[in-house]
C-alpha cells in the first residue's frame, strides 16, 4: 500500500495540489483507511462522507480550506449576492409579524454573510428577531462567521449566538438552511439482479490505469435488510421498480434531523433552499448514476474519492422525502417552488429597482447577480425552496407567484 500520492482519477484538468494540501489530504486518507481496516474492510458511504467533510481538523468543513467564494471551491447564493439574503429577510419579516416575533435559527451558516445581511435588513424593516442563533458544526466556520458579522453589522453582534447542537428548549420562530441538506451524509445503493445493495467504501492496492495508488474504491456490500426496506418503500411510492444497474442515494439522517428540529419548534417555519428534485424526478430511470457532485476550486465532478478532505461532496435533496417526513409530524407543507419564483415573490426586482442607476457599474453588477440567481439553467430553477410551518397558516409571499407543493 502506498499512501503518499493523491489520486486525481481521470480528472487531469483539476488544479495541482500544493505540498501542504497534499500532506493534509494524505493525513485524511490515512484516517479513512484506518477506519476501513478497523471495520473489516469497508465503511458505508455515509460514514466516508462524514469523515471527509466533518472529521475534526481534517474534514473539508473542519479544516482551513477557503471553501466559499472566488478563491474557494464554490459560490453559494448568499456569497453571490446580498439580494438573496435581503429577499429571505422579507420572507422572515412576514412570518415574524404573523407569529408575533421569535428567533431565527440558521443551520450551517458558511461564512456568516447570510446572517449579517438578514439581520441588517430586518433591522431596517424594524422586525429584528429576539436572537439569531447559528448552529454550526465547524469551529473554523464559527470563527469566520463571527468575523463577518462583527465587520458588517457590529451593532447587531450581540443578537447572535452560536450553538453546537439544536436547542433543548422550545422555540418560536424560523429555522433557515441554505445548502445544508445537500451536505448531509448520504448512502449510495446499486440495484443488482438480486435486489438493492449498499455501495460502501473499501481500499484496493491495485494500480489504476492512470498509475495512481490512492486505493479508495466502491464495494458492493452484503445483502442488508435496511437497504432493501428503504428502497422497497421508495419503489412503492414511485409505483415502479428501479432498473438493474441503477445507482442513487438517500439521506439516512434526514428523518432524525427534521424530527429533532420539529420537536423544539412550537410555532413558526422551516425554510430550506437547496438543489434537488421531487422524488419522481430524483429517482427518474434516466438519472441512473445518482446525484453526487464534488467541488474543488470551481471544478465540478463526480468522483468523491479524490482529494479527500480538500473537496466538497454533496448530493441533491429528495424534497418529497422531506415533505413526507414533515407531514408525518404535523408540520404543514406551506410551499415548494424554484428559487427564481421564490425570489420574485419576495421582491427581488423591487430591491433591484431601488439600486441607484446612476452608479452604472454598481447597478450592472447587481443586475448580473439577479440574473445568476434567477435564470433557468443558472441557480433559478436548479435550486428549490421548501417551507414547512406549524401553528399559523397564511399564504407566504415567497410562494405567491408559483407554489408547486402538489408536485411533491
Ligand atoms: C455548502 S455549505 C453552505 C453554507 C451557507 N449556508 C451558504 O449558503 O453559504 C454547508 C454548511 O452546512 C454546515 N453543516 C453541514 N451539516 C451540518 C449539520 N448537521 N448541522 C449544522 N451545520 C451543518 C457546514 O458546516 C457548512 O457551513
Amino acid at each position: 500500500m502506498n499512501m503518499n500520492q493523491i489520486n486525481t482519477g481521470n480528472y487531469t484538468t483539476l488544479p495541482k495540489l500544493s505540498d501542504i494540501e497534499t500532506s493534509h489530504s494524505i493525513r485524511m486518507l490515512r484516517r479513512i483507511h484506518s477506519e476501513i481496516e478497523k471495520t473489516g474492510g469497508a465503511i458505508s458511504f455515509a460514514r466516508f462522507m462524514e469523515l471527509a467533510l466533518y472529521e475534526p481538523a481534517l474534514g473539508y468543513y473542519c479544516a482551513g480550506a477557503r471553501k466559499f467564494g472566488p478563491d474557494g471551491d464554490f459560490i453559494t447564493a448568499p456569497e453571490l449576492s446580498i439580494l438573496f439574503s435581503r429577499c429571505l429577510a422579507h420572507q422572515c419579516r412576514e412570518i415574524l409579524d404573523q407569529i408575533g416575533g421569535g428567533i431565527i435559527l440558521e443551520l450551517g451558516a458558511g461564512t456568516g454573510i447570510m446572517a449579517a445581511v438578514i439581520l441588517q435588513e430586518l433591522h431596517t424593516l424594524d422586525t429584528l428577531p429576539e436572537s439569531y442563533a447559528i448552529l454550526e458544526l465547524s469551529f473554523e466556520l464559527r470563527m469566520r462567521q463571527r468575523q463577518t458579522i462583527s465587520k458588517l453589522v457590529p451593532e447587531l453582534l450581540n443578537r447572535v449566538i452560536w450553538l453546537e447542537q439544536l436547542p433543548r428548549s422550545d422555540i418560536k420562530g424560523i429555522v433557515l438552511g441554505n445548502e445544508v441538506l445537500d451536505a448531509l451524509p448520504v448512502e449510495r445503493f446499486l440495484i443488482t439482479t438480486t435486489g438493492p445493495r449498499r455501495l460502501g467504501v473499501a481500499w484496493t492496492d491495485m494500480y489504476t490505469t492512470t498509475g495512481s495508488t490512492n486505493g479508495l474504491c466502491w464495494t458492493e456490500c452484503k445483502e442488508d435488510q435496511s437497504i432493501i426496506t428503504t428502497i422497497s418503500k421508495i419503489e412503492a411510492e414511485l409505483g415502479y421498480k428501479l432498473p438493474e444497474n441503477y445507482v442513487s442515494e438517500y439521506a439516512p439522517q434526514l428523518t432524525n434531523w427534521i424530527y429533532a428540529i420539529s420537536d423544539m419548534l412550537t410555532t413558526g417555519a422551516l425554510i430550506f433552499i437547496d438543489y434537488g428534485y421531487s422524488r419522481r424526478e430524483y429517482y427518474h430511470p434516466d438519472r441512473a448514476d445518482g446525484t453526487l457532485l464534488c467541488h474543488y476550486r470551481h471544478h465540478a465532478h463526480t468522483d468523491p474519492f479524490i482529494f479527500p478532505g480538500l473537496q466538497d461532496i454533496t448530493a441533491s435533496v429528495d424534497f418529497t422525502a422531506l415533505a413526507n417526513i414533515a407531514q408525518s409530524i404535523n408540520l404543514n407543507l406551506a410551499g415548494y417552488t424554484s428559487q427564481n419564483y421564490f425570489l420574485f415573490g419576495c421582491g427581488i426586482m423591487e430591491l433591484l429597482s431601488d439600486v441607484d442607476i446612476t452608479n452604472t457599474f454598481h447597478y450592472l453588477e447587481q443586475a448580473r447577480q439577479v440574473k445568476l440567481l434567477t435564470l433557468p439553467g443558472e441557480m433559478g430553477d436548479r435550486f428549490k425552496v421548501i417551507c414547512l410551518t406549524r401553528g399559523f397558516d397564511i399564504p407566504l409571499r415567497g410562494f405567491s407567484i408559483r407554489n408547486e407543493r402538489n408536485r411533491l
Side-chain angles (χ1 to χ4, degrees):
M1 172 177 56
N2 176 348
M3 264 190 280
N4 295 320
Q5 283 181 15
I6 291 299
N7 181 18
T8 51
N10 294 322
Y11 297 95
T12 47
T13 55
L14 286 177
K16 288 244 173 312
L17 299 186
S18 68
D19 290 349
I20 292 175
E21 286 174 317
T22 304
S23 79
H24 177 93
S25 198
I26 286 172
R27 274 185 286 132
M28 178 81 258
L29 193 58
R30 291 206 164 108
R31 172 73 189 87
I32 295 166
H33 178 260
S34 86
E35 187 144 332
I36 291 174
E37 292 277 282
K38 257 193 273 165
T39 43
I43 56 175
S44 70
F45 184 71
R47 178 63 185 148
F48 164 80
M49 202 166 153
E50 200 166 76
L51 288 169
L53 296 183
Y54 303 111
E55 178 68 0
L58 289 175
Y60 179 74
Y61 280 110
C62 298
R66 268 220 66 73
K67 303 181 261 291
F68 307 93
D71 306 334
D73 303 303
F74 54 83
I75 290 206
T76 60
E79 296 291 327
L80 175 71
S81 174
I82 64 165
L83 293 173
F84 175 84
S85 307
R86 290 184 66 196
C87 283
L88 257 180
H90 284 261
Q91 181 59 88
C92 290
R93 178 205 200 180
E94 185 180 45
I95 297 171
L96 289 173
D97 281 351
Q98 180 65 26
I99 64 176
I103 75 156
I104 293 180
L105 165 59
E106 185 181 347
L107 309 172
T111 62
I113 182 79
M114 188 167 110
V117 176
I118 288 180
L119 277 166
Q120 191 167 45
E121 190 76 10
L122 287 177
H123 187 42
T124 310
L125 297 169
D126 203 17
T127 319
L128 273 174
E130 288 154 23
S131 64
Y132 195 108
I134 294 179
L135 173 68
E136 177 58 66
L137 300 181
S138 159
F139 174 78
E140 187 245 327
L141 284 179
R142 286 202 290 276
M143 296 301 104
R144 255 161 101 172
Q145 291 155 9
R146 180 178 287 279
Q147 269 176 8
T148 307
I149 296 165
S150 312
K151 195 167 146 206
L152 296 181
V153 279
E155 68 286 9
L156 298 174
L157 182 64
N158 60 3
R159 296 242 168 196
V160 185
I161 50 170
W162 276 267
L163 309 171
E164 288 176 49
Q165 54 187 28
L166 288 172
R168 295 201 185 283
S169 51
D170 289 348
I171 65 161
K172 180 172 81 153
I174 303 167
V175 180
L176 296 176
N178 184 61
E179 287 209 50
V180 177
L181 299 177
D182 70 356
L184 289 180
V186 289
E187 288 292 7
R188 196 158 160 91
F189 64 87
L190 164 75
I191 305 293
T192 71
T193 42
T194 53
R197 292 291 168 86
R198 194 187 302 275
L199 285 176
V201 180
W203 184 267
T204 173
D205 283 333
M206 274 172 50
Y207 281 73
T208 67
T209 48
T210 54
S212 83
T213 54
N214 173 349
L216 291 173
C217 63
W218 294 107
T219 184
E220 221 178 273
C221 299
K222 287 197 295 254
E223 198 175 279
D224 159 351
Q225 194 50 49
S226 81
I227 206 105
I228 295 174
T229 311
T230 306
I231 306 310
S232 305
K233 208 168 149 221
I234 290 173
E235 289 178 332
E237 282 176 25
L238 290 171
Y240 56 83
K241 288 250 174 235
L242 294 171
E244 223 176 279
N245 293 325
Y246 188 87
V247 172
S248 193
E249 299 87 26
Y250 67 92
Q253 297 178 3
L254 188 65
T255 307
N256 286 346
W257 223 58
I258 301 298
Y259 280 4
I261 296 168
S262 156
D263 270 357
M264 60 176 198
L265 187 76
T266 54
T267 311
L270 274 56
I271 303 177
F272 291 108
I273 305 113
D274 231 307
Y275 48 90
Y277 313 97
S278 69
R279 175 157 290 178
R280 209 155 269 287
E281 296 161 295
Y282 197 104
Y283 297 110
H284 192 281
D286 288 346
R287 203 183 304 286
D289 291 322
T291 69
L292 283 187
L293 200 57
C294 308
H295 291 96
Y296 179 72
R297 305 231 197 111
H298 299 278
H299 290 257
H301 65 90
T302 57
D303 186 344
F305 298 149
I306 62 176
F307 303 170
L310 299 178
Q311 66 167 357
D312 191 23
I313 307 172
T314 66
S316 296
V317 176
D318 171 2
F319 281 101
T320 303
L322 191 57
N324 289 348
I325 297 164
Q327 284 174 322
S328 75
I329 47 178
N330 206 19
L331 283 166
N332 171 43
L333 173 57
Y336 172 69
T337 195
S338 307
Q339 177 170 293
N340 48 8
Y341 292 119
F342 179 80
L343 295 178
F344 290 138
C346 290
I348 197 165
M349 296 317 285
E350 290 78 355
L351 293 176
L352 180 64
S353 65
D354 284 347
V355 175
D356 178 7
I357 201 160
T358 60
N359 184 343
T360 316
F361 179 79
H362 181 61
Y363 180 81
L364 288 177
E365 176 51 23
Q366 301 264 304
R368 185 188 74 86
Q369 293 169 4
V370 170
K371 268 177 149 178
L372 291 175
L373 289 172
T374 60
L375 274 182
E378 298 285 350
M379 287 179 158
D381 63 356
R382 281 192 295 123
F383 282 77
K384 308 289 190 314
V385 187
I386 191 168
C387 180
L388 311 166
T389 58
R390 172 170 291 146
F392 77 103
D393 188 14
I394 53 160
L396 296 173
R397 57 181 299 177
F399 305 92
S400 56
I401 296 184
R402 186 181 285 199
N403 191 343
E404 300 187 295
R405 61 185 165 176
N406 294 335
R407 287 183 54 204
L408 293 181

